[in-house]
Amino acid sequence: MPPAMQVAEGAGLRSNGPRILMNAAQRALSRGASSSLGSPRSPPPSSGNIVTVLSIDGGGVRGIIPGTILAFLEEKLQELDGPGRRRSLGQGEDGTPRQFNLIDGGVAANNPTLLAMTDVSKQILMGNPDFFPIKPADYGKFMILSLGTGTAKIEEKFDAAECSKWGLLGWLYNRGATPIIDSFSQASADLVDIHASVLFQALHCEKRYLRIQDDELKGETASVDVSTPENLNRLVDIGKALLKRQVCKVNAETGKNEPDQNRGTNEEELVNFARMLSEERKARLGKEGDVEL
């Protein structure tokens, strides 16, 4: 299970003291997990046409935001393939649950999209037959869903003249913000998004890359560890609202995210992704000789 998803699941079950009910996102994910416990291992990419990658940012309890989005995607996949056909995110290849003791993935890579792509390329370089005949840098055959956990709204409260006068403490904490930490984490995530977005635009397959992120979080919703029932429900609402927003892409010249006029809402794009995933699944099962599509 990806680190962000694991943190979100734990946070949804327990707050700062009393136990709380599972939120909407967790209930949906739990339904998908319980219905797919008996599902067989999916055939490898070598049996299909594309490599599918799911990347989820680190973000503590904010992992509920991508959890809500994944619940919607799972619902659409169930509609296309029927209940019980999808594998749980928390299962191993043999279908048995596994437990991971991890810290938040944001410590190493706040946006792990490129890390996931690199890992696939590494497997191909090492001769993993699951990916034959795909080439290590054949990113035109990748389909990537990159889910952010949200970031605080950029308020531009500091300027270069002021920052030049700061000492160590000023960079660590200043007017309710942590400038040096925010700079490292935000820059890392943004550069990954810029690189991936421009790469897929250059390959003329930008519709194979979908990044969903909310960069206007405020107050407690921007925190990674406020797990009160009220905040968890707000995070679910943010995830649902993201589904209704228009897809954004990186402007190759400015590096800023802008609405993509050639694409619909995140919800509509996820429906398209669900169709492509369903078709890929059927292609792989068909090549493997599995008649139960």
Side-chain angles (χ1 to χ4, degrees):
M1 182 180 294
M5 288 299 297
Q6 186 182 32
V7 173
E9 185 174 343
L13 291 173
R14 188 177 298 275
S15 66
N16 296 329
R19 191 175 182 84
I20 64 172
L21 295 176
M22 296 178 74
N23 57 54
Q26 291 172 294
R27 287 197 297 269
L29 287 173
S30 297
R31 285 197 298 269
S34 61
S35 65
S36 59
L37 287 174
S39 299
R41 179 182 184 274
S42 298
S46 59
S47 298
N49 304 306
I50 57 177
V51 175
T52 56
V53 176
L54 169 63
S55 171
I56 305 174
D57 291 9
V61 296
R62 298 201 311 260
I64 289 177
I65 296 174
T68 304
I69 294 169
L70 283 176
F72 173 81
L73 177 61
E74 174 70 16
E75 178 184 332
K76 297 304 171 184
L77 288 170
Q78 295 278 351
E79 290 176 3
L80 291 167
D81 295 340
R85 297 297 183 89
R86 316 306 305 184
R87 283 198 303 131
S88 166
L89 290 174
Q91 292 177 339
E93 291 300 324
D94 57 358
T96 58
R98 292 188 295 173
Q99 179 177 346
F100 298 89
N101 298 293
L102 306 171
I103 61 173
D104 193 280
V107 174
N110 207 40
N111 179 346
T113 302
L114 289 183
L115 192 63
M117 294 170 63
T118 301
D119 188 64
V120 172
S121 296
K122 182 184 73 174
Q123 293 297 321
I124 297 173
L125 283 171
M126 294 173 63
N128 189 329
D130 283 352
F131 297 95
F132 181 82
I134 300 170
K135 305 299 181 184
D138 197 0
Y139 296 123
K141 292 187 177 180
F142 282 44
M143 187 176 78
I144 296 177
L145 175 59
S146 175
L147 302 179
T149 53
T151 60
K153 182 177 181 180
I154 299 176
E155 299 177 350
E156 299 182 358
K157 61 173 68 174
F158 308 119
D159 57 32
E162 180 181 357
C163 295
S164 66
K165 301 174 183 177
W166 290 348
L168 177 61
L169 293 179
W171 279 102
L172 287 175
Y173 187 82
N174 202 309
R175 280 188 269 163
T178 52
I180 190 65
I181 297 175
D182 294 342
S183 297
F184 278 125
S185 60
Q186 191 63 43
S188 171
D190 286 350
L191 285 174
V192 170
D193 187 25
I194 291 171
H195 180 89
S197 182
V198 172
L199 174 63
F200 279 84
Q201 289 179 55
L203 294 172
H204 304 291
C205 56
E206 52 264 41
K207 291 193 175 181
R208 290 275 186 92
Y209 173 74
L210 178 60
R211 170 72 172 171
I212 301 179
Q213 172 72 309
D214 188 326
D215 55 5
E216 296 184 347
L217 298 184
K218 298 179 181 179
E220 290 185 341
T221 60
S223 170
V224 298
D225 59 2
V226 177
S227 55
T228 61
E230 295 78 15
N231 192 49
L232 297 181
N233 287 328
R234 282 194 291 266
L235 291 171
V236 171
D237 291 338
I238 289 171
K240 291 179 178 179
L242 265 177
L243 292 171
K244 305 298 182 182
R245 288 191 190 177
Q246 185 170 354
V247 171
C248 290
K249 72 174 181 179
V250 173
N251 184 311
E253 183 176 351
T254 65
K256 294 182 178 180
N257 273 312
E258 300 174 350
D260 188 343
Q261 303 301 331
N262 296 318
R263 303 176 78 172
T265 63
N266 289 317
E267 185 176 72
E268 292 169 339
E269 289 298 314
L270 284 171
V271 171
N272 291 333
F273 262 55
R275 291 196 190 100
M276 288 189 286
L277 287 170
S278 179
E279 291 170 1
E280 175 67 9
R281 174 181 176 275
K282 291 175 181 177
R284 293 185 187 185
L285 290 175
K287 190 172 181 180
E288 290 282 311
D290 192 328
V291 296
E292 188 181 357
L293 301 179

